[in-house]
Amino acid sequence: MITNTDKCPSCGHNGLIDKVQEETLTYGGKSMTLHDMHGKFCPECGEGIWDEVSYRRYTEAQEGLVRAIKGDASADIRRIRRKLNLTQAQLALSFGIGKIAFSRYERGESKPPAPVLKLLKLIDRHPDLLKEIQQM
Ligand SMILES: [Zn+2]
């Protein structure tokens, strides 16, 4: 569909085309593909403008990717822990690790081991698993 009222902000071409496409983000050697991204694209210069929702998804994915590369998992850990409604000590106890471990991870003082992060992400997706872990 061509909407003639839309002008390309880059080259001024009249008639941007509505498109749904995949967008692949890359940062620091990692990449991530977003599906069903909606936007308007310029057939002349290739400039694209995402709609509001897609733009937000794009920036969120980009921030997530940057965080992942930088290894800054602290914000993620805090978010998941709060969602689970646990104190740092309670979460540490559930995981069978040192009481102050999560306090150090969340303050960025030490990097959480990969298995701890993976377990936490798993629980984030399946919160019911927390009970099972606590019973182990
Ligand atoms: Zn253009």
Side-chain angles (χ1 to χ4, degrees), residues 31-78:
S31 68
M32 182 190 276
T33 301
L34 298 169
H35 302 275
D36 293 326
M37 292 285 285
H38 296 241
K40 295 178 191 295
F41 292 85
C42 175
E44 285 295 310
C45 69
E47 175 78 358
I49 309 157
W50 301 119
D51 71 14
E52 208 176 311
V53 173
S54 298
Y55 181 73
R56 197 170 57 229
R57 284 177 58 205
Y58 184 89
T59 49
E60 278 171 8
Q62 198 169 42
E63 283 165 13
L65 205 56
V66 170
R67 259 207 312 274
I69 295 295
K70 286 185 176 168
D72 179 15
S74 53
D76 246 4
I77 291 176
R78 186 177 291 116

Side-chain angles (χ1 to χ4, degrees), residues 8 10-13 16 42 44-47:
C8 174
S10 180
C11 72
H13 174 80
L16 299 182
C42 175
E44 285 295 310
C45 69
E47 175 78 358

Side-chain angles (χ1 to χ4, degrees), residues 97-109:
I97 57 178
K99 216 171 164 183
I100 60 158
F102 282 101
S103 144
R104 299 187 61 192
Y105 301 155
E106 290 181 16
R107 277 181 294 162
E109 285 176 13

